[in-house]
Amino acid sequence: SKLAAALEAMGMGRNAIEGEAHLAALARKSDSKTDALVRWIKAHLFQNGALRDDERLIVFTEYKETLLYLTERLQQEGFDENTLRLLYGGMDTGDFEQVKNEFEDRDAPVRLLLATDAASEGINLQDWCRWIIHYDIPWSPSKILQRNGRVSRHGQVRDVSIHYFRCNQEEDLEFLCKVAQKVDQIRDDLGSVERVFSAAIESHFSGRKVRQSDLDLWVEQELAASQEKKDLGRNAEEDTRRLTE
């Protein structure tokens, strides 16, 4: 796949991640995406050179290898095993619950959670966190909403900020960023248009490029059709009720 090829090109393929020394070497590599993440974290989670007490951040990635790479890099930037924790698929259940509970504990030292989509379902993290960064953007619109829903949910009392990486020089990343932003705009109606997003993503990565204007039009048409079905359903229910009264 294109994503797998990109990871291999960065020296981050599954077979290449062997031992802490190799991870440390990866972390010392300078790539613009990770550099941008580090700058954002330093600007928002640090104050006067120290971690703030009132903010926390979740960074979502697609791959465990990316979590390990980012861990090594961020440990060079002022984090340690107490202030930075990981959640990923395949963890021991007890360890998974411990990390989750620490992130939900106001008095725990953890400030940054690096997570794969294993942490995007059934976990409520809104009490002390309002920031999410998608280091990688998933192809599935549902996954985007599931990730965002960890903090953008009932009980959140602060404004939530969701961030996606984009790059005008990387067409695939730019396209996925636009899809993610569109998904977030219509999150309440995603069920009725998810197939449109899925078809657009499949088309794009099959070489049949999709213009933003076309995607917007398809979504609007599907939403309109869905609303018409809802209206027809309500009218039918009202007609049935009147006939049986």
Side-chain angles (χ1 to χ4, degrees):
S1 70
K2 290 188 176 183
L3 290 177
L7 284 170
E8 291 289 350
M10 293 173 63
M12 293 169 59
R14 293 184 181 276
N15 295 330
I17 305 300
E18 298 174 351
E20 294 182 0
H22 185 69
L23 288 171
L26 282 175
R28 287 192 294 270
K29 286 186 176 181
S30 176
D31 73 270
S32 58
K33 189 175 179 180
T34 307
D35 289 344
L37 175 65
V38 169
R39 287 195 299 271
W40 192 98
I41 288 173
K42 287 188 172 181
H44 293 83
L45 291 188
F46 285 80
Q47 191 171 46
N48 298 324
L51 280 164
R52 296 174 55 168
D53 294 329
D54 59 343
E55 295 292 0
R56 295 182 181 184
L57 167 69
I58 303 172
V59 176
F60 277 108
T61 78
E62 286 281 292
Y63 300 98
K64 177 183 174 182
E65 288 85 349
T66 311
L67 292 190
L68 301 178
Y69 162 68
L70 290 177
T71 298
E72 290 292 334
R73 173 64 187 272
L74 291 167
Q75 285 178 343
Q76 299 170 11
E77 303 292 345
F79 287 92
D80 58 31
E81 60 183 10
N82 295 315
T83 55
L84 186 158
R85 303 305 302 270
L86 309 182
L87 282 181
Y88 53 87
M91 286 181 68
D92 176 80
T93 302
D95 293 340
F96 189 97
E97 289 298 317
Q98 179 180 349
V99 172
K100 180 174 72 71
N101 292 336
E102 286 181 11
F103 198 75
E104 294 173 334
D105 182 355
R106 181 178 184 178
D107 297 323
V110 60
R111 291 294 176 268
L112 174 57
L113 181 67
L114 300 180
T116 66
D117 288 305
S120 69
E121 297 184 44
I123 300 178
N124 303 329
L125 302 172
Q126 75 276 14
D127 288 345
W128 311 115
C129 179
R130 64 188 179 103
W131 287 331
I132 285 179
I133 292 178
H134 296 261
Y135 188 83
D136 303 315
I137 302 175
W139 289 21
S140 167
S142 293
K143 281 188 178 182
I144 296 173
L145 285 192
Q146 287 167 357
R147 290 178 175 186
N148 295 348
R150 298 315 95 212
V151 301
S152 181
R153 61 189 303 115
H154 179 73
Q156 176 63 260
V157 298
R158 298 187 293 171
D159 291 335
V160 172
S161 294
I162 310 294
H163 300 276
Y164 307 93
F165 280 95
R166 66 186 308 167
C167 177
N168 292 333
Q169 281 73 47
E170 295 185 23
E171 186 178 13
D172 293 341
L173 181 60
E174 181 74 5
F175 174 76
L176 286 175
C177 181
K178 290 177 180 177
V179 170
Q181 291 172 332
K182 193 68 177 178
V183 167
D184 201 42
Q185 290 173 8
I186 62 162
R187 55 184 178 273
D188 293 336
D189 295 304
L190 179 62
S192 63
V193 297
E194 183 170 6
R195 66 185 186 89
V196 173
F197 287 116
S198 298
I201 291 171
E202 181 178 352
S203 178
H204 177 88
F205 285 96
S206 297
R208 302 185 301 275
K209 303 306 180 185
V210 177
R211 294 179 301 178
Q212 182 67 36
S213 58
D214 290 336
L215 178 60
D216 292 342
L217 178 60
W218 297 340
V219 169
E220 290 172 5
Q221 289 175 338
E222 192 68 21
L223 286 174
S226 177
Q227 184 60 48
E228 184 176 348
K229 290 177 183 177
K230 290 179 182 179
D231 293 341
L232 287 172
R234 282 194 294 267
N235 291 338
E237 290 176 2
E238 292 174 0
D239 291 342
T240 301
R241 186 170 57 251
R242 283 196 294 268
L243 288 172
T244 56
E245 286 178 350

